């Protein structure tokens, strides 16, 4: 889907006009393509306080083929190229005074940041300390990162990862995700990792090779993009959608070399039926993406029961029932399964006319958090992904004004693409993402709504 | 050399919803429909880029350009281009006959897998130039000089511009199939009401099967059509009773547009394989094709009804398999016309027919109606000639699979030219 305004703003004439008028200048985002290096340029790693991650991070970067340069001097002089990523190890924070070091490191480095650059701050979770001063400093980072994300331009993003003591091994997968083009539309987020047993390193180009992934609502929109990205990463995709969408569903399945399953996920026996097929045909499933969703908007006072019930049935109850059926069927859900549940920004921020939809999508978050400990015990994970304004056939039908405003209300000043949601889901589905569990990852370009 | 034979497994099927003539598929060609149907099958069973042993299919109404229809459809599909294919045609028996051919090669060990199918369009049907026009144009074509060409062209008369539209008529009698069926209906004294009852049941059974999701893994929507266009879930005896007869004469005329199948467009395909191939591909075995039989009757001079051949084929098949007509859990008797189904069943119950025509000591007996066409049949779904066999095989195989192991089903399909194809499936 084309973004005419972004393209215009990036044209020669458009650049002049938008600069003069002070209009937003949305950037072409750096998006992932197979074979791409992790970063298009060098990275710099700094620290605030005596952190414990700096060597680890430097090692990870070098392994990924990234050149790590020494911190930028206060006067902005460096030994060469502009930076593709700026990483701050803030695990050494003891109190607010240490934050000055964060400022001293970041300020000159950011002046040297390329377009679609990445700022990643690594810290201990504020809850992990009994010292109020230390908790304050750790929490302060959220304000810092979220503001920084709003200050960055040209498609650059800033995110924060909480790494508790002992969970250092879980960092590699989120680190790669946030630095890569896969996280193009993930901005201003705080992610927490936990200690987990990690599988031996997978093929970086085909992290899902040999895996079976089921995607609901795969006939079109975000679901079709998820199917494509999972297949690109090596998975065999079992694409599920309602029987009426069977023609498009078959096209998607054939495009990705997967299997089409026509099934209304709200049907009485949908869960057992799908579970049985996954066992018989595919020997169980490694990745489950609950993506199918519907909207039936109306102000609450005008909403009939049918609207309320159908949205709840598809968006929430079916996610619960399908997951339950997979858990209950022997051999259906692989022990180290990855379940990803599509929520929505509306479920976090609320949205006028969407009490039913927002309730269902908030419910998804509650479900994910509740199930996470049980999943962790079996070596599995369950996470939610909450898309913001994503440009689909659906949004293309919105009135121009609404669409234009809706798509600009975020730090990246543009709508996301289905592939952005898909990349985030595919990352959570990776074996190496074992330490990301019970999280809600927003793919919203740091939306102003519900931030 | 394969010393032993084996029974071919039916893995599953796919069809597009059947459309009424000049309806949803008015602009789709045979090749479009067959290709889409193959692609739906490929998607269902994850066969992208794979080579199956053979694809065998056909169409009854074919354009000259359809000469290699099945192979062309395979090339346009997501199957491996290294999949051989050939066309067959046995009128309305085409789809079932194609499956028998594939199954027999599997039985002999010549194939490990194969797809059998059929397609027909009565909308995008070939329209021939009338014979005079064709001769005139051939003369133009063979003219050597401009003068000769102009002379040949000047021979064309307005009357020659009228095209020859294909008719659903028997070449040797000039009678429409429905007129033939009406003769048989009168002979066997098949009443209007029992025909309408069978029709209502067909619509209700098909609608119920759709509603319970039975067709979720048998049908893939096409060109916006998600269910058979001819299906009338609200069909009732009262509504059917209001229709005027369209076949037969006078008071005996009982056959209406309601209790006869309409002209239909559509396609179907069935995936067959050896048990080993199915297991290797983690694919299910719904049922096996046990045996099949064809028969033909002399409807021109022999005094037998055009569509009565299955009545002759079934006893041969039963005898060879040491079964009685009652040894089945499901019966799929193609509803070309409601009267055809009823006449066939009546014939099997009739001592004189069974003795004189079939040479049997005792009549074959009656069929438990509760086991007949339980998921609806052609009266409701429609009947794109060559596609009906594939629809029935996949439907029956799934029904047998649902019923559990060791269940048996009988398929009976009548065809133009006085032919019949029948088969036994077993789960
Ligand atoms: N597009 C956005 O901006 C946006 C924003 C936030 C969240 N989301 C969420 O992302 C998901 C995908 O959205 P989309 O924009 O691609 O929508 P979409 O309408 O294009 O696709 C949804 C798919 O789900 C299928 N589906 C609906 N009910 C089903 C059922 N009962 N059984 C099986 N399949 C069913 C539909 O047939 C459709 O193919 C939804 O959960 C949606 O709530 C979208």
């Amino acid at each position: 889907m084309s973004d005419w305004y972004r393209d215009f703003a990036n044209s020669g004439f458009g650049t002049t006009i938008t600069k003069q008028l002070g209009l937003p200048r949305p950037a072409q985002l750096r998006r992932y393509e197979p074979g791409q290096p992790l970063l298009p340029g060098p990275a710099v790693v700094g620290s605030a306080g005596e952190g414990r991650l700096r060597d680890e991070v430097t090692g990870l970067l070098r392994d990924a083929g990234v050149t790590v340069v020494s911190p930028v001097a206060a006067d902005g002089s460096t030994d060469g190229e502009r930076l593709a990523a700026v990483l701050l190890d803030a695990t050494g924070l003891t109190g607010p005074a240490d934050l000055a070091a964060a400022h001293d490191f970041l300020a000159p480095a950011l002046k040297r940041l390329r377009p679609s650059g990445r700022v990643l701050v690594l810290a201990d979770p504020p809850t992990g300390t009994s010292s109020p001063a230390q908790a304050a400093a750790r929490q302060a980072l959220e304000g810092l990162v979220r503001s920084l994300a709003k200050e960055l331009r040209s498609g650059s993003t800033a995110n924060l990862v909480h790494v508790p003591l002992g969970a250092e091994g879980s960092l590699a997968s989120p680190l790669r995700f946030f630095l890569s083009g896969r996280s193009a539309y993930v901005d201003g987020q705080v992610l927490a990792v936990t200690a987990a047993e990690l599988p031996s390193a997978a093929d970086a180009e085909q992290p899902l090779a040999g895996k079976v992934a089921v995607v609901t609502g795969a006939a079109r929109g975000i679901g079709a993009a998820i199917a494509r990205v999972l297949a690109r990463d090596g998975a065999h995709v079992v694409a599920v959608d309602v029987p009426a969408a069977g023609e498009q569903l078959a096209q998607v399945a054939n495009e990705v070399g997967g299997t089409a399953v026509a099934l209304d996920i709200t049907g009485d026996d949908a869960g057992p039926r799908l579970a049985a097929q996954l066992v018989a045909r595919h020997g169980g499933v490694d990745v489950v993406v609950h993506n199918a969703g519907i909207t039936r908007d109306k102000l609450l006072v005008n909403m009939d029961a049918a609207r309320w019930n159908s949205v709840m049935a598809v968006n929430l109850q079916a996610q619960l029932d399908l997951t339950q059926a997979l858990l209950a069927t022997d051999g259906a859900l692989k022990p180290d399964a990855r379940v990803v549940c599509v929520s929505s920004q509306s479920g976090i921020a609320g949205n006028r006319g969407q009490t039913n939809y927002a309730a269902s999508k908030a419910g998804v978050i509650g479900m994910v958090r509740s199930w996470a400990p049980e999943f962790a015990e079996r070596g599995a994970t369950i996470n939610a992904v909450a898309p913001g304004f994503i440009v689909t056939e659906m949004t293309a039908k919105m009135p121009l004004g609404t669409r234009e405003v809706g798509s600009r209300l975020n730090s990246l000043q543009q709508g996301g693409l289905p592939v952005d949601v898909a990349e985030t889901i595919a990352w959570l589905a990776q074996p190496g993402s074992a330490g990301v569990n019970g999280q809600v990852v927003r793919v919203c370009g740091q939306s102003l709504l519900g931030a | 050399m394969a010393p032993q034979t084996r029974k071919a497994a039916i893995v599953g099927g796919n069809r597009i919803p059947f459309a009424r003539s000049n309806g949803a598929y008015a602009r789709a060609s045979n090749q479009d429909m067959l290709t889409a149907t193959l692609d739906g099958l490929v998607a269902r069973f994850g066969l992208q880029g794979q080579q199956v042993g053979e694809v065998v299919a056909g169409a009854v109404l074919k354009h000259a350009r359809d000469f290699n229809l099945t192979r062309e459809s395979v090339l346009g599909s997501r199957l491996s281009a290294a999949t051989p294919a050939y066309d067959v045609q046995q009128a309305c028996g085409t789809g079932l006959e194609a499956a028998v051919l594939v199954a027999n090669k599997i039985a002999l060990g010549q194939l490990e897998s194969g797809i059998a199918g059929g397609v027909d369009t009565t909308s995008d049907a070939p329209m021939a130039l009338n014979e005079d026009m064709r001769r005139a144009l051939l003369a133009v074509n063979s003219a050597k000089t401009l003068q000769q060409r102009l002379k040949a062209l000047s021979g064309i008369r307005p009357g020659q511009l009228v095209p020859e539209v294909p008719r659903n008529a028997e070449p040797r009698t000039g009678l429409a199939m429905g007129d033939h069926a009406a003769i048989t209906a009168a002979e066997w004294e098949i009443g209007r009401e029992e025909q309408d009852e069978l029709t209502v049941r067909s619509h209700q059974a098909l609608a119920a099967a759709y509603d319970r999701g039975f067709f979720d893994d048998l049908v893939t929507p096409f060109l916006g059509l998600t269910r058979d266009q001819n299906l009338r879930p609200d069909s009732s005896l009262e509504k059917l009773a209001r229709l005027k007869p369209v076949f037969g004469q006078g008071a005996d005329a009982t056959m209406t547009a309601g209790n006869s199948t309409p002209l239909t467009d559509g396609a179907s395909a069935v995936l067959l394989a050896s048990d080993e191939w199915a297991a290797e591909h983690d694919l299910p075995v719904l049922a096996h094709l046990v045996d099949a039989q064809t028969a033909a009757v002399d409807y021109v001079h022999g005094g037998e009804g055009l569509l009565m051949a299955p009545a002759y084929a079934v006893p041969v098949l039963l005898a060879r398999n040491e079964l009685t007509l009652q040894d089945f859990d499901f019966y799929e008797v193609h509803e070309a016309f409601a009267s055809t189904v009823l006449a066939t069943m009546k014939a099997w119950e009739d001592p004189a027919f069974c003795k004189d025509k079939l040479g049997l000591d005792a009549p074959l007996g009656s069929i438990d109606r509760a086991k007949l066409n339980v998921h609806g049949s052609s009266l409701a779904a429609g009947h794109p000639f060559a596609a009906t066999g594939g629809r029935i095989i996949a439907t029956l195989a799934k029904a047998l699979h649902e019923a559990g192991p060791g269940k048996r089903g009988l398929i009976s399909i009548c065809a133009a030219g006085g032919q019949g194809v029948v088969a036994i499936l077993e789960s």
Side-chain angles (χ1 to χ4, degrees), chain A residues 338-418:
Chain A
R338 301 279 178 267
V339 176
V340 186
C341 307
V342 177
S343 174
S344 167
Q345 162 175 296
S346 295
I348 297 168
N351 197 14
R352 188 181 155 83
Q354 290 199 321
T355 48
N356 52 354
Y357 182 76
S360 72
K361 293 297 188 179
V364 166
I365 293 172
M367 173 187 82
V368 161
R369 288 182 178 150
S370 164
W371 244 324
E374 184 187 331
F375 273 66
E377 262 168 46
R378 65 193 324 241
T381 69
I382 180 166
N383 291 286
V385 167
F389 190 97
I390 303 298
V391 183
T392 61
E393 287 154 68
M394 212 163 67
T395 57
K397 287 191 199 118
M398 288 164 69
L400 182 73
T402 321
R403 188 177 72 223
E404 278 309 304
V405 172
S407 67
R408 310 277 169 226
L409 291 179
N410 58 71
S411 299
L412 294 170
Q413 301 175 329
Q414 58 191 298
L417 299 182

Side-chain angles (χ1 to χ4, degrees), chain A residues 9-224:
Chain A
N10 284 291
S11 68
F13 175 64
T15 306
T16 319
I17 292 279
T18 49
K19 265 192 184 152
Q20 277 175 3
L21 297 178
L23 292 172
R25 308 200 41 245
Q28 292 279 0
L29 304 183
R30 168 166 66 94
R31 292 196 164 87
Y32 174 75
E33 268 166 40
Q36 214 174 45
L38 182 63
L39 286 170
V44 63
V45 185
S47 49
E50 288 299 310
R52 61 179 199 280
L53 291 174
R54 200 172 155 167
D55 290 345
E56 165 119 24
V57 167
T58 308
L60 285 170
L61 290 172
R62 295 229 162 97
D63 287 351
V66 174
T67 311
V68 181
V69 297
S70 33
V72 183
D75 64 358
S77 65
T78 67
D79 48 0
E81 268 187 276
R82 296 183 67 187
L83 301 168
V86 175
L87 294 97
L88 173 68
D89 172 11
T91 50
L93 292 181
T94 52
D98 295 337
L99 289 165
H103 165 263
D104 293 348
F105 164 70
L106 290 171
L110 295 181
K111 289 199 184 121
R112 301 287 302 158
L113 195 64
R114 293 173 169 241
S116 284
R118 296 286 188 264
V119 176
L120 195 60
V121 177
L122 311 170
D124 285 295
T127 48
T129 175
S130 56
S131 150
Q134 194 169 36
R138 290 176 181 179
Q139 188 76 41
L141 291 172
E142 281 195 36
L144 167 69
V145 169
R146 290 206 160 111
S147 302
L148 194 53
K150 294 186 185 209
E151 290 178 8
L152 293 173
R153 284 291 171 261
S154 308
S156 293
T157 64
N159 292 285
L160 172 63
V161 180
H162 284 149
V163 189
L165 206 59
E168 292 77 14
S170 297
L171 179 60
S173 169
L175 181 96
R176 276 196 302 270
F177 171 70
F178 280 115
L179 297 185
S180 76
R182 289 177 184 265
S183 67
Y185 201 60
V186 182
D187 195 10
Q189 297 303 297
V190 181
L191 180 88
V193 298
T194 44
E197 209 161 306
L198 288 156
S200 48
D203 176 356
E205 287 284 303
Q206 294 259 296
L208 301 178
K211 304 287 180 188
V212 174
V214 61
V215 180
T216 66
R220 64 176 209 191
I222 294 173

Side-chain angles (χ1 to χ4, degrees), chain A residues 216-224 226 240-245 248 261 263-267 290-296 310 313-315 318-319 342-346 357 360-361 385-395 416 418 421 443:
Chain A
T216 66
R220 64 176 209 191
I222 294 173
I226 297 168
V240 177
D241 212 300
V242 289
Q248 282 176 294
V261 178
L263 181 75
D264 180 342
I265 55 166
T266 62
H290 294 297
N291 162 77
I294 58 169
T295 52
R296 295 286 183 273
S310 58
V314 178
N315 296 6
Q319 293 203 10
V342 177
S343 174
S344 167
Q345 162 175 296
S346 295
Y357 182 76
S360 72
K361 293 297 188 179
V385 167
F389 190 97
I390 303 298
V391 183
T392 61
E393 287 154 68
M394 212 163 67
T395 57
V421 181
V443 185

